[in-house]
Amino acid sequence: MTPASSHSPHGRSPLRTVQVLGGGNAATGAHVRSLTTGLVARGVRVTVCAPIEAEHTYDFTGTGAAHLHVPRSSDPASVAALRAACAHADLVHAHGLHASFRAALALSGKPTPLVVTWHDRAPAEGPRAHFLRLLERRVAKAATVVLGTTSALVDLARRTGARDARLAAVPPPARPADTDAGDPDRLRPKVRAELGATGRPLMVAADALERHRGHRALLDAAHAWMRLDPSPLVVIAGEGPLRPELQRRIGAEDLPVRLLGRRDDVTDLLAAADVALLTGRWAARSRFAQQALQAGVPLVATRVGGTPELVGDAAELVPYGNARALADAALRLLADPARREELRARGARQAAGWPTEDETVAQVLSVYDELTRPLPLI
């Protein structure tokens, strides 16, 4: 399935779009890179406005797009640079709340259609939460179309004033083309030995070490798992401000937990895992959850945000912050090989139903064409 842009076949000049990215997390940056690749291949002219660091990471120019460095800031100079980049665009597509807000400022007073994609929603409290809710309302009302990556985000956009909100197709993360990753039987013992998990169960989590990520409940659960013989080893890939606090507790209680720091080999860790753990307070389309299902690793996840919609019946879901429920669900999986095999099979079926890159580009192009199609002469 390779849909073409509807503009050039009718003798008109190619569609000119600007993709606005504020830096974003790994999932958002990878999505913009994938979308840009598909749009350029279908004859769309794409300029990506993003910090230079994002260009270094995702190589937007390598897709055939142009890149313009625009800092992740809403100061007048950054907004002016973005306004200049959008001056001749047929359509602007912004990704994430802050990038969307800057795009709305840059297009203020202009008729250029603005599409925004909400990939996630950052948990916040106090004054910051109030500030983010104000941004959401401003962006929802300014956008021509809001694409939400989950039904919850679509509902949020409608509640905050969006004229048109739709569910976005988003492909899963691309699997690495690593030879060992394609041979889990060879990779598994190697990784387990490196982690110190030979002869004991291995549980893997991957998330930033921040508030609302559920790491305190995870350590509570690890304390309960200590009574097992052998006790499972829990490894957490990720970095963040809670690391000193978590490390102190791990040392004080001699918990079977290792903080691995930032890792770019999460798929390798999953290939070695018996159970994957996702414990945060909020997730839209968790990259880690998708990787776990793709890898055939039984997943225990919190019943929050878009996770139930993403995983369906292919994971054990528990309440956020409930260490007892988390510990019990993981223990049941470790003790029940048949249930683990059932979840592996369900995970494969669930992942097979996720949108492909072609389907994602086709949906976005249909929105673009709808918003830029010439009005009929009366």
Side-chain angles (χ1 to χ4, degrees):
M1 179 173 163
T2 309
S5 167
S6 68
H7 285 208
S8 51
H10 302 301
R12 300 173 57 204
S13 60
L15 184 68
R16 298 164 299 180
T17 73
V18 171
Q19 305 289 321
V20 185
L21 179 66
N25 58 31
T28 304
H31 173 71
V32 174
R33 213 282 182 180
S34 170
L35 180 60
T36 298
T37 300
L39 292 174
V40 170
R42 290 157 178 80
V44 178
R45 292 183 180 174
V46 179
T47 298
V48 179
C49 292
I52 191 64
E53 296 81 9
E55 165 63 13
H56 291 159
T57 300
Y58 300 106
D59 186 25
F60 300 116
T61 54
T63 70
H67 170 258
L68 177 66
H69 169 62
V70 177
R72 191 182 186 276
S73 170
S74 297
D75 63 77
S78 297
V79 173
L82 186 55
R83 182 180 296 116
C86 298
H88 302 292
D90 298 306
L91 179 143
V92 175
H93 189 166
H95 300 264
L97 180 60
H98 294 281
S100 300
F101 177 67
R102 289 194 297 278
L105 290 177
L107 292 176
S108 180
K110 295 181 178 295
T112 308
L114 172 62
V115 177
V116 304
T117 297
W118 285 358
H119 294 265
D120 211 337
R121 193 189 197 203
E125 297 173 348
R128 175 169 169 76
H130 179 68
F131 171 69
L132 291 178
R133 304 300 84 89
L134 289 175
L135 283 189
E136 287 171 350
R137 287 195 288 273
R138 172 69 184 270
V139 167
K141 292 178 180 179
T144 313
V145 173
V146 176
L147 299 175
T149 60
T150 70
S151 297
L153 289 173
V154 173
D155 291 341
L156 170 67
R158 290 171 178 158
R159 290 197 307 271
T160 51
R163 291 170 282 172
D164 187 341
R166 312 178 192 183
L167 187 63
V170 180
R175 301 193 193 196
D178 184 274
T179 54
D180 278 344
D183 186 4
D185 290 337
R186 175 182 173 187
L187 184 64
R188 181 180 174 87
K190 174 184 174 184
V191 174
R192 290 175 72 92
E194 291 172 350
L195 294 173
T198 301
R200 63 194 300 193
L202 176 65
M203 302 191 198
V204 173
D207 213 340
L209 305 184
E210 300 170 346
R211 286 174 56 83
H212 311 299
R213 303 291 184 170
H215 295 307
R216 293 179 178 126
L218 178 52
L219 294 193
D220 289 342
H223 193 278
W225 296 328
M226 289 177 67
R227 70 176 185 267
L228 299 181
D229 185 18
S231 62
L233 175 65
V234 180
V235 297
I236 305 173
E239 196 55 85
L242 280 188
R243 184 185 182 99
E245 174 189 324
L246 298 176
Q247 193 64 67
R248 282 194 298 271
R249 182 177 172 192
I250 291 167
E253 300 179 23
D254 196 24
L255 297 176
V257 178
R258 287 187 58 188
L259 304 181
L260 303 181
R262 289 189 178 88
R263 300 285 292 238
D264 57 7
D265 61 345
V266 171
T267 53
D268 291 354
L269 298 177
L270 284 169
D274 296 296
V275 174
L277 304 170
L278 180 67
T279 58
R281 177 179 173 183
W282 168 265
R285 295 182 64 87
S286 164
R287 181 181 180 88
F288 180 69
Q290 293 176 79
Q291 290 173 319
L293 266 61
Q294 287 176 325
V297 181
L299 173 68
V300 180
T302 42
R303 189 184 291 105
V304 297
T307 299
E309 182 179 9
L310 176 67
V311 303
D313 64 356
E316 297 283 358
L317 298 178
V318 299
Y320 168 74
N322 190 324
R324 177 66 179 272
L326 174 64
D328 289 349
L331 286 180
R332 285 196 301 271
L333 283 179
L334 290 178
D336 190 347
R339 176 59 175 166
R340 295 201 302 272
E341 286 301 321
E342 179 184 14
L343 287 182
R344 288 189 184 99
R346 289 183 177 183
R349 290 195 296 270
Q350 186 74 9
W354 292 334
T356 64
E357 291 190 347
D358 272 355
E359 289 167 344
T360 300
V361 175
Q363 184 207 38
V364 169
L365 269 178
S366 70
V367 174
Y368 290 2
D369 287 350
E370 176 187 333
L371 300 182
T372 60
R373 185 183 301 124
L375 295 174
L377 298 176
I378 299 177

